[in-house]
Amino acid sequence: MIYVISDLHGFPHEQFLSLLNKAGFSENDFLYILGDVIDRNGDGGVKTLQWLLYQTNVELLLGNHEAMLLSCSFLFDEIEEGFEDKLTTKKLETFYQYMANGGNVTLSAMKKLSRDEQQDILEYIQDCPLYESVEIGKKKFVLVHAGLNNYSDTKSIEDYSIEELIWGRPKLSDVYSKNFLTVLGHTPTLYYGRCYEDKIIWTETWINIDIGSAYGKSPVLLRLNDMAEFRL
């Protein structure tokens, strides 16, 4: 069975494992996390990142929050005397942007780890793909963090920029390829109106499974084989 979940944003790791257990997730299944495990809540998702390092049947796709953490990787360089003076204006702006987006909890948890553990996590994130294509029977899916921003029928998935794949926000009227179903997160469904609160948004060509863990809600786990939803 193939499962997807998105935008955990520091959701308690033990509760995340409970959700997987509730769905009957096993070593014979595969889970795709559509980005943004980190930031905003709890330990900032660091415990989940540590768990991911050792999972062979779980894959994290790059989200905009993981990308922001990578852009601040200079914070984990060996600190020498006068380190603060070496931070350029651009680096400071990058740091402040990350903090404004909830990165403080992740950085605090990362600082408690050894240097080797920090580097293992950063290297893992560096290797995260931007998207995955999955075929289940006759059904085809494209999994991506934020959608296919500036969509065009003439563009292949490889033609989209990182920004288009991890920062875009589709409108309800946006139509993607009808050759596959795009599964995405990034934008909490509540943003589209109260009628979508705690619900997956289904359109003809894409679905949004981010129901707002960034704001304290429990995530939804979706099984692509039969579109069954699992919640705590």
PDB file of all heavy atoms in Angstrom, residues 120-152:
ATOM      1  N   ASP A 120      24.183  14.818   9.666  1.00  0.00           N
ATOM      2  CA  ASP A 120      23.405  13.705   9.098  1.00  0.00           C
ATOM      3  C   ASP A 120      22.031  14.186   8.649  1.00  0.00           C
ATOM      4  O   ASP A 120      21.549  13.823   7.564  1.00  0.00           O
ATOM      5  CB  ASP A 120      23.247  12.587  10.125  1.00  0.00           C
ATOM      6  CG  ASP A 120      24.521  11.780  10.323  1.00  0.00           C
ATOM      7  OD1 ASP A 120      25.431  11.890   9.480  1.00  0.00           O
ATOM      8  OD2 ASP A 120      24.589  11.051  11.332  1.00  0.00           O
ATOM      9  N   ILE A 121      21.400  15.010   9.474  1.00  0.00           N
ATOM     10  CA  ILE A 121      20.071  15.534   9.136  1.00  0.00           C
ATOM     11  C   ILE A 121      20.147  16.471   7.939  1.00  0.00           C
ATOM     12  O   ILE A 121      19.333  16.384   7.006  1.00  0.00           O
ATOM     13  CB  ILE A 121      19.455  16.237  10.359  1.00  0.00           C
ATOM     14  CG1 ILE A 121      19.007  15.194  11.391  1.00  0.00           C
ATOM     15  CG2 ILE A 121      18.283  17.129   9.945  1.00  0.00           C
ATOM     16  CD1 ILE A 121      18.489  15.784  12.680  1.00  0.00           C
ATOM     17  N   LEU A 122      21.111  17.373   7.935  1.00  0.00           N
ATOM     18  CA  LEU A 122      21.243  18.312   6.825  1.00  0.00           C
ATOM     19  C   LEU A 122      21.533  17.583   5.516  1.00  0.00           C
ATOM     20  O   LEU A 122      20.978  17.928   4.461  1.00  0.00           O
ATOM     21  CB  LEU A 122      22.341  19.334   7.129  1.00  0.00           C
ATOM     22  CG  LEU A 122      22.035  20.309   8.263  1.00  0.00           C
ATOM     23  CD1 LEU A 122      23.269  21.171   8.559  1.00  0.00           C
ATOM     24  CD2 LEU A 122      20.838  21.195   7.947  1.00  0.00           C
ATOM     25  N   GLU A 123      22.380  16.562   5.573  1.00  0.00           N
ATOM     26  CA  GLU A 123      22.691  15.796   4.365  1.00  0.00           C
ATOM     27  C   GLU A 123      21.476  15.013   3.882  1.00  0.00           C
ATOM     28  O   GLU A 123      21.248  14.889   2.666  1.00  0.00           O
ATOM     29  CB  GLU A 123      23.865  14.855   4.637  1.00  0.00           C
ATOM     30  CG  GLU A 123      25.191  15.590   4.793  1.00  0.00           C
ATOM     31  CD  GLU A 123      26.328  14.676   5.205  1.00  0.00           C
ATOM     32  OE1 GLU A 123      26.106  13.434   5.251  1.00  0.00           O
ATOM     33  OE2 GLU A 123      27.430  15.176   5.490  1.00  0.00           O
ATOM     34  N   TYR A 124      20.690  14.505   4.816  1.00  0.00           N
ATOM     35  CA  TYR A 124      19.464  13.796   4.435  1.00  0.00           C
ATOM     36  C   TYR A 124      18.515  14.736   3.696  1.00  0.00           C
ATOM     37  O   TYR A 124      17.961  14.396   2.643  1.00  0.00           O
ATOM     38  CB  TYR A 124      18.780  13.234   5.693  1.00  0.00           C
ATOM     39  CG  TYR A 124      17.424  12.626   5.415  1.00  0.00           C
ATOM     40  CD1 TYR A 124      17.308  11.319   4.952  1.00  0.00           C
ATOM     41  CD2 TYR A 124      16.256  13.372   5.588  1.00  0.00           C
ATOM     42  CE1 TYR A 124      16.064  10.770   4.675  1.00  0.00           C
ATOM     43  CE2 TYR A 124      15.013  12.836   5.316  1.00  0.00           C
ATOM     44  CZ  TYR A 124      14.921  11.528   4.864  1.00  0.00           C
ATOM     45  OH  TYR A 124      13.673  10.994   4.588  1.00  0.00           O
ATOM     46  N   ILE A 125      18.338  15.942   4.241  1.00  0.00           N
ATOM     47  CA  ILE A 125      17.434  16.902   3.609  1.00  0.00           C
ATOM     48  C   ILE A 125      17.947  17.327   2.237  1.00  0.00           C
ATOM     49  O   ILE A 125      17.176  17.506   1.291  1.00  0.00           O
ATOM     50  CB  ILE A 125      17.230  18.122   4.531  1.00  0.00           C
ATOM     51  CG1 ILE A 125      16.497  17.701   5.811  1.00  0.00           C
ATOM     52  CG2 ILE A 125      16.440  19.221   3.817  1.00  0.00           C
ATOM     53  CD1 ILE A 125      16.366  18.811   6.835  1.00  0.00           C
ATOM     54  N   GLN A 126      19.254  17.475   2.117  1.00  0.00           N
ATOM     55  CA  GLN A 126      19.845  17.848   0.829  1.00  0.00           C
ATOM     56  C   GLN A 126      19.517  16.835  -0.262  1.00  0.00           C
ATOM     57  O   GLN A 126      19.429  17.177  -1.447  1.00  0.00           O
ATOM     58  CB  GLN A 126      21.361  17.993   0.971  1.00  0.00           C
ATOM     59  CG  GLN A 126      21.790  19.254   1.702  1.00  0.00           C
ATOM     60  CD  GLN A 126      23.281  19.289   1.976  1.00  0.00           C
ATOM     61  OE1 GLN A 126      23.964  18.267   1.899  1.00  0.00           O
ATOM     62  NE2 GLN A 126      23.796  20.455   2.305  1.00  0.00           N
ATOM     63  N   ASP A 127      19.329  15.583   0.138  1.00  0.00           N
ATOM     64  CA  ASP A 127      19.044  14.523  -0.823  1.00  0.00           C
ATOM     65  C   ASP A 127      17.557  14.326  -1.082  1.00  0.00           C
ATOM     66  O   ASP A 127      17.178  13.462  -1.893  1.00  0.00           O
ATOM     67  CB  ASP A 127      19.652  13.197  -0.334  1.00  0.00           C
ATOM     68  CG  ASP A 127      21.173  13.197  -0.399  1.00  0.00           C
ATOM     69  OD1 ASP A 127      21.732  13.968  -1.198  1.00  0.00           O
ATOM     70  OD2 ASP A 127      21.793  12.428   0.365  1.00  0.00           O
ATOM     71  N   CYS A 128      16.707  15.092  -0.413  1.00  0.00           N
ATOM     72  CA  CYS A 128      15.262  14.922  -0.596  1.00  0.00           C
ATOM     73  C   CYS A 128      14.854  15.341  -2.011  1.00  0.00           C
ATOM     74  O   CYS A 128      15.245  16.419  -2.478  1.00  0.00           O
ATOM     75  CB  CYS A 128      14.491  15.765   0.414  1.00  0.00           C
ATOM     76  SG  CYS A 128      14.560  15.143   2.105  1.00  0.00           S
ATOM     77  N   PRO A 129      14.058  14.539  -2.700  1.00  0.00           N
ATOM     78  CA  PRO A 129      13.614  14.907  -4.050  1.00  0.00           C
ATOM     79  C   PRO A 129      12.555  15.998  -4.005  1.00  0.00           C
ATOM     80  O   PRO A 129      11.905  16.220  -2.972  1.00  0.00           O
ATOM     81  CB  PRO A 129      13.043  13.601  -4.593  1.00  0.00           C
ATOM     82  CG  PRO A 129      12.553  12.881  -3.371  1.00  0.00           C
ATOM     83  CD  PRO A 129      13.544  13.223  -2.283  1.00  0.00           C
ATOM     84  N   LEU A 130      12.372  16.666  -5.131  1.00  0.00           N
ATOM     85  CA  LEU A 130      11.340  17.697  -5.250  1.00  0.00           C
ATOM     86  C   LEU A 130       9.976  17.105  -5.561  1.00  0.00           C
ATOM     87  O   LEU A 130       8.943  17.721  -5.249  1.00  0.00           O
ATOM     88  CB  LEU A 130      11.715  18.696  -6.346  1.00  0.00           C
ATOM     89  CG  LEU A 130      12.865  19.641  -6.031  1.00  0.00           C
ATOM     90  CD1 LEU A 130      13.278  20.395  -7.288  1.00  0.00           C
ATOM     91  CD2 LEU A 130      12.459  20.620  -4.937  1.00  0.00           C
ATOM     92  N   TYR A 131       9.957  15.949  -6.168  1.00  0.00           N
ATOM     93  CA  TYR A 131       8.689  15.318  -6.542  1.00  0.00           C
ATOM     94  C   TYR A 131       8.930  13.832  -6.755  1.00  0.00           C
ATOM     95  O   TYR A 131      10.072  13.370  -6.875  1.00  0.00           O
ATOM     96  CB  TYR A 131       8.122  15.938  -7.823  1.00  0.00           C
ATOM     97  CG  TYR A 131       9.009  15.729  -9.029  1.00  0.00           C
ATOM     98  CD1 TYR A 131       8.896  14.587  -9.822  1.00  0.00           C
ATOM     99  CD2 TYR A 131       9.999  16.648  -9.356  1.00  0.00           C
ATOM    100  CE1 TYR A 131       9.736  14.373 -10.900  1.00  0.00           C
ATOM    101  CE2 TYR A 131      10.841  16.447 -10.438  1.00  0.00           C
ATOM    102  CZ  TYR A 131      10.703  15.312 -11.199  1.00  0.00           C
ATOM    103  OH  TYR A 131      11.539  15.093 -12.272  1.00  0.00           O
ATOM    104  N   GLU A 132       7.836  13.088  -6.803  1.00  0.00           N
ATOM    105  CA  GLU A 132       7.900  11.673  -7.160  1.00  0.00           C
ATOM    106  C   GLU A 132       6.700  11.345  -8.042  1.00  0.00           C
ATOM    107  O   GLU A 132       5.625  11.920  -7.879  1.00  0.00           O
ATOM    108  CB  GLU A 132       7.874  10.771  -5.920  1.00  0.00           C
ATOM    109  CG  GLU A 132       9.147  10.760  -5.100  1.00  0.00           C
ATOM    110  CD  GLU A 132      10.288  10.007  -5.770  1.00  0.00           C
ATOM    111  OE1 GLU A 132      10.094   9.503  -6.893  1.00  0.00           O
ATOM    112  OE2 GLU A 132      11.371   9.912  -5.158  1.00  0.00           O
ATOM    113  N   SER A 133       6.896  10.437  -8.961  1.00  0.00           N
ATOM    114  CA  SER A 133       5.804   9.920  -9.784  1.00  0.00           C
ATOM    115  C   SER A 133       5.511   8.496  -9.318  1.00  0.00           C
ATOM    116  O   SER A 133       6.431   7.691  -9.147  1.00  0.00           O
ATOM    117  CB  SER A 133       6.200   9.917 -11.262  1.00  0.00           C
ATOM    118  OG  SER A 133       6.419  11.237 -11.722  1.00  0.00           O
ATOM    119  N   VAL A 134       4.240   8.204  -9.110  1.00  0.00           N
ATOM    120  CA  VAL A 134       3.828   6.903  -8.581  1.00  0.00           C
ATOM    121  C   VAL A 134       2.704   6.352  -9.451  1.00  0.00           C
ATOM    122  O   VAL A 134       1.793   7.097  -9.845  1.00  0.00           O
ATOM    123  CB  VAL A 134       3.338   7.032  -7.115  1.00  0.00           C
ATOM    124  CG1 VAL A 134       2.825   5.700  -6.599  1.00  0.00           C
ATOM    125  CG2 VAL A 134       4.450   7.559  -6.216  1.00  0.00           C
ATOM    126  N   GLU A 135       2.773   5.086  -9.729  1.00  0.00           N
ATOM    127  CA  GLU A 135       1.726   4.423 -10.508  1.00  0.00           C
ATOM    128  C   GLU A 135       1.179   3.266  -9.698  1.00  0.00           C
ATOM    129  O   GLU A 135       1.936   2.401  -9.239  1.00  0.00           O
ATOM    130  CB  GLU A 135       2.281   3.943 -11.844  1.00  0.00           C
ATOM    131  CG  GLU A 135       1.209   3.503 -12.824  1.00  0.00           C
ATOM    132  CD  GLU A 135       1.718   3.347 -14.247  1.00  0.00           C
ATOM    133  OE1 GLU A 135       2.828   3.872 -14.525  1.00  0.00           O
ATOM    134  OE2 GLU A 135       1.019   2.724 -15.067  1.00  0.00           O
ATOM    135  N   ILE A 136      -0.128   3.248  -9.500  1.00  0.00           N
ATOM    136  CA  ILE A 136      -0.795   2.186  -8.754  1.00  0.00           C
ATOM    137  C   ILE A 136      -1.879   1.617  -9.654  1.00  0.00           C
ATOM    138  O   ILE A 136      -2.912   2.257  -9.876  1.00  0.00           O
ATOM    139  CB  ILE A 136      -1.407   2.699  -7.440  1.00  0.00           C
ATOM    140  CG1 ILE A 136      -0.339   3.371  -6.574  1.00  0.00           C
ATOM    141  CG2 ILE A 136      -2.070   1.558  -6.677  1.00  0.00           C
ATOM    142  CD1 ILE A 136      -0.885   4.039  -5.328  1.00  0.00           C
ATOM    143  N   GLY A 137      -1.622   0.447 -10.190  1.00  0.00           N
ATOM    144  CA  GLY A 137      -2.546  -0.097 -11.176  1.00  0.00           C
ATOM    145  C   GLY A 137      -2.567   0.805 -12.395  1.00  0.00           C
ATOM    146  O   GLY A 137      -1.524   1.092 -12.989  1.00  0.00           O
ATOM    147  N   LYS A 138      -3.734   1.296 -12.752  1.00  0.00           N
ATOM    148  CA  LYS A 138      -3.857   2.194 -13.891  1.00  0.00           C
ATOM    149  C   LYS A 138      -3.871   3.663 -13.469  1.00  0.00           C
ATOM    150  O   LYS A 138      -3.996   4.547 -14.308  1.00  0.00           O
ATOM    151  CB  LYS A 138      -5.134   1.873 -14.667  1.00  0.00           C
ATOM    152  CG  LYS A 138      -5.130   0.490 -15.313  1.00  0.00           C
ATOM    153  CD  LYS A 138      -6.390   0.248 -16.118  1.00  0.00           C
ATOM    154  CE  LYS A 138      -6.358  -1.118 -16.784  1.00  0.00           C
ATOM    155  NZ  LYS A 138      -7.589  -1.370 -17.578  1.00  0.00           N
ATOM    156  N   LYS A 139      -3.724   3.913 -12.157  1.00  0.00           N
ATOM    157  CA  LYS A 139      -3.758   5.274 -11.645  1.00  0.00           C
ATOM    158  C   LYS A 139      -2.335   5.838 -11.571  1.00  0.00           C
ATOM    159  O   LYS A 139      -1.432   5.185 -11.066  1.00  0.00           O
ATOM    160  CB  LYS A 139      -4.400   5.322 -10.257  1.00  0.00           C
ATOM    161  CG  LYS A 139      -5.854   4.861 -10.229  1.00  0.00           C
ATOM    162  CD  LYS A 139      -6.401   4.911  -8.811  1.00  0.00           C
ATOM    163  CE  LYS A 139      -7.839   4.444  -8.744  1.00  0.00           C
ATOM    164  NZ  LYS A 139      -8.353   4.448  -7.333  1.00  0.00           N
ATOM    165  N   LYS A 140      -2.174   7.062 -12.057  1.00  0.00           N
ATOM    166  CA  LYS A 140      -0.880   7.737 -12.011  1.00  0.00           C
ATOM    167  C   LYS A 140      -0.971   8.965 -11.112  1.00  0.00           C
ATOM    168  O   LYS A 140      -1.943   9.719 -11.187  1.00  0.00           O
ATOM    169  CB  LYS A 140      -0.434   8.131 -13.416  1.00  0.00           C
ATOM    170  CG  LYS A 140      -0.181   6.942 -14.344  1.00  0.00           C
ATOM    171  CD  LYS A 140       0.269   7.413 -15.719  1.00  0.00           C
ATOM    172  CE  LYS A 140       0.536   6.234 -16.636  1.00  0.00           C
ATOM    173  NZ  LYS A 140       0.970   6.675 -17.993  1.00  0.00           N
ATOM    174  N   PHE A 141       0.052   9.160 -10.294  1.00  0.00           N
ATOM    175  CA  PHE A 141       0.096  10.272  -9.364  1.00  0.00           C
ATOM    176  C   PHE A 141       1.429  10.998  -9.489  1.00  0.00           C
ATOM    177  O   PHE A 141       2.462  10.375  -9.733  1.00  0.00           O
ATOM    178  CB  PHE A 141      -0.051   9.790  -7.916  1.00  0.00           C
ATOM    179  CG  PHE A 141      -1.301   9.005  -7.633  1.00  0.00           C
ATOM    180  CD1 PHE A 141      -1.335   7.634  -7.824  1.00  0.00           C
ATOM    181  CD2 PHE A 141      -2.446   9.641  -7.175  1.00  0.00           C
ATOM    182  CE1 PHE A 141      -2.478   6.899  -7.551  1.00  0.00           C
ATOM    183  CE2 PHE A 141      -3.600   8.923  -6.901  1.00  0.00           C
ATOM    184  CZ  PHE A 141      -3.615   7.544  -7.088  1.00  0.00           C
ATOM    185  N   VAL A 142       1.394  12.304  -9.310  1.00  0.00           N
ATOM    186  CA  VAL A 142       2.599  13.093  -9.109  1.00  0.00           C
ATOM    187  C   VAL A 142       2.497  13.677  -7.707  1.00  0.00           C
ATOM    188  O   VAL A 142       1.499  14.328  -7.355  1.00  0.00           O
ATOM    189  CB  VAL A 142       2.751  14.217 -10.150  1.00  0.00           C
ATOM    190  CG1 VAL A 142       3.813  15.222  -9.699  1.00  0.00           C
ATOM    191  CG2 VAL A 142       3.149  13.632 -11.502  1.00  0.00           C
ATOM    192  N   LEU A 143       3.502  13.431  -6.898  1.00  0.00           N
ATOM    193  CA  LEU A 143       3.532  13.898  -5.512  1.00  0.00           C
ATOM    194  C   LEU A 143       4.517  15.051  -5.419  1.00  0.00           C
ATOM    195  O   LEU A 143       5.656  14.940  -5.861  1.00  0.00           O
ATOM    196  CB  LEU A 143       3.964  12.757  -4.584  1.00  0.00           C
ATOM    197  CG  LEU A 143       3.311  11.389  -4.819  1.00  0.00           C
ATOM    198  CD1 LEU A 143       3.873  10.364  -3.845  1.00  0.00           C
ATOM    199  CD2 LEU A 143       1.793  11.473  -4.696  1.00  0.00           C
ATOM    200  N   VAL A 144       4.084  16.156  -4.826  1.00  0.00           N
ATOM    201  CA  VAL A 144       4.923  17.343  -4.766  1.00  0.00           C
ATOM    202  C   VAL A 144       4.473  18.177  -3.581  1.00  0.00           C
ATOM    203  O   VAL A 144       3.323  18.051  -3.123  1.00  0.00           O
ATOM    204  CB  VAL A 144       4.830  18.138  -6.091  1.00  0.00           C
ATOM    205  CG1 VAL A 144       3.430  18.693  -6.306  1.00  0.00           C
ATOM    206  CG2 VAL A 144       5.884  19.222  -6.172  1.00  0.00           C
ATOM    207  N   HIS A 145       5.351  19.026  -3.078  1.00  0.00           N
ATOM    208  CA  HIS A 145       4.993  19.785  -1.882  1.00  0.00           C
ATOM    209  C   HIS A 145       3.867  20.790  -2.104  1.00  0.00           C
ATOM    210  O   HIS A 145       2.849  20.759  -1.425  1.00  0.00           O
ATOM    211  CB  HIS A 145       6.213  20.514  -1.315  1.00  0.00           C
ATOM    212  CG  HIS A 145       5.892  21.349  -0.107  1.00  0.00           C
ATOM    213  ND1 HIS A 145       5.352  20.811   1.032  1.00  0.00           N
ATOM    214  CD2 HIS A 145       6.004  22.694   0.118  1.00  0.00           C
ATOM    215  CE1 HIS A 145       5.136  21.774   1.921  1.00  0.00           C
ATOM    216  NE2 HIS A 145       5.527  22.921   1.386  1.00  0.00           N
ATOM    217  N   ALA A 146       4.053  21.695  -3.063  1.00  0.00           N
ATOM    218  CA  ALA A 146       3.135  22.835  -3.155  1.00  0.00           C
ATOM    219  C   ALA A 146       2.270  22.845  -4.409  1.00  0.00           C
ATOM    220  O   ALA A 146       1.344  23.652  -4.504  1.00  0.00           O
ATOM    221  CB  ALA A 146       3.929  24.143  -3.085  1.00  0.00           C
ATOM    222  N   GLY A 147       2.557  22.003  -5.375  1.00  0.00           N
ATOM    223  CA  GLY A 147       1.792  22.015  -6.612  1.00  0.00           C
ATOM    224  C   GLY A 147       2.669  22.321  -7.805  1.00  0.00           C
ATOM    225  O   GLY A 147       3.899  22.316  -7.714  1.00  0.00           O
ATOM    226  N   LEU A 148       2.038  22.581  -8.932  1.00  0.00           N
ATOM    227  CA  LEU A 148       2.742  22.879 -10.181  1.00  0.00           C
ATOM    228  C   LEU A 148       2.436  24.320 -10.557  1.00  0.00           C
ATOM    229  O   LEU A 148       1.598  24.599 -11.424  1.00  0.00           O
ATOM    230  CB  LEU A 148       2.296  21.912 -11.283  1.00  0.00           C
ATOM    231  CG  LEU A 148       2.409  20.416 -10.952  1.00  0.00           C
ATOM    232  CD1 LEU A 148       1.855  19.570 -12.093  1.00  0.00           C
ATOM    233  CD2 LEU A 148       3.848  20.031 -10.631  1.00  0.00           C
ATOM    234  N   ASN A 149       3.107  25.234  -9.878  1.00  0.00           N
ATOM    235  CA  ASN A 149       2.833  26.654 -10.092  1.00  0.00           C
ATOM    236  C   ASN A 149       3.196  27.053 -11.520  1.00  0.00           C
ATOM    237  O   ASN A 149       4.163  26.560 -12.089  1.00  0.00           O
ATOM    238  CB  ASN A 149       3.635  27.489  -9.090  1.00  0.00           C
ATOM    239  CG  ASN A 149       3.086  28.889  -8.948  1.00  0.00           C
ATOM    240  OD1 ASN A 149       1.873  29.103  -9.037  1.00  0.00           O
ATOM    241  ND2 ASN A 149       3.961  29.843  -8.718  1.00  0.00           N
ATOM    242  N   ASN A 150       2.415  27.965 -12.090  1.00  0.00           N
ATOM    243  CA  ASN A 150       2.582  28.374 -13.495  1.00  0.00           C
ATOM    244  C   ASN A 150       2.445  27.167 -14.421  1.00  0.00           C
ATOM    245  O   ASN A 150       3.212  26.982 -15.366  1.00  0.00           O
ATOM    246  CB  ASN A 150       3.940  29.056 -13.718  1.00  0.00           C
ATOM    247  CG  ASN A 150       4.086  30.319 -12.893  1.00  0.00           C
ATOM    248  OD1 ASN A 150       3.163  31.116 -12.781  1.00  0.00           O
ATOM    249  ND2 ASN A 150       5.258  30.496 -12.286  1.00  0.00           N
ATOM    250  N   TYR A 151       1.442  26.360 -14.143  1.00  0.00           N
ATOM    251  CA  TYR A 151       1.253  25.124 -14.902  1.00  0.00           C
ATOM    252  C   TYR A 151       1.029  25.390 -16.380  1.00  0.00           C
ATOM    253  O   TYR A 151       0.359  26.339 -16.774  1.00  0.00           O
ATOM    254  CB  TYR A 151       0.056  24.330 -14.362  1.00  0.00           C
ATOM    255  CG  TYR A 151      -0.211  23.095 -15.186  1.00  0.00           C
ATOM    256  CD1 TYR A 151       0.571  21.966 -15.031  1.00  0.00           C
ATOM    257  CD2 TYR A 151      -1.208  23.098 -16.163  1.00  0.00           C
ATOM    258  CE1 TYR A 151       0.376  20.840 -15.812  1.00  0.00           C
ATOM    259  CE2 TYR A 151      -1.415  21.976 -16.953  1.00  0.00           C
ATOM    260  CZ  TYR A 151      -0.624  20.848 -16.774  1.00  0.00           C
ATOM    261  OH  TYR A 151      -0.812  19.748 -17.569  1.00  0.00           O
ATOM    262  N   SER A 152       1.605  24.517 -17.201  1.00  0.00           N
ATOM    263  CA  SER A 152       1.400  24.548 -18.643  1.00  0.00           C
ATOM    264  C   SER A 152       1.435  23.133 -19.179  1.00  0.00           C
ATOM    265  O   SER A 152       2.267  22.313 -18.740  1.00  0.00           O
ATOM    266  CB  SER A 152       2.482  25.383 -19.336  1.00  0.00           C
ATOM    267  OG  SER A 152       2.405  25.237 -20.736  1.00  0.00           O
TER     268      SER A 152
END
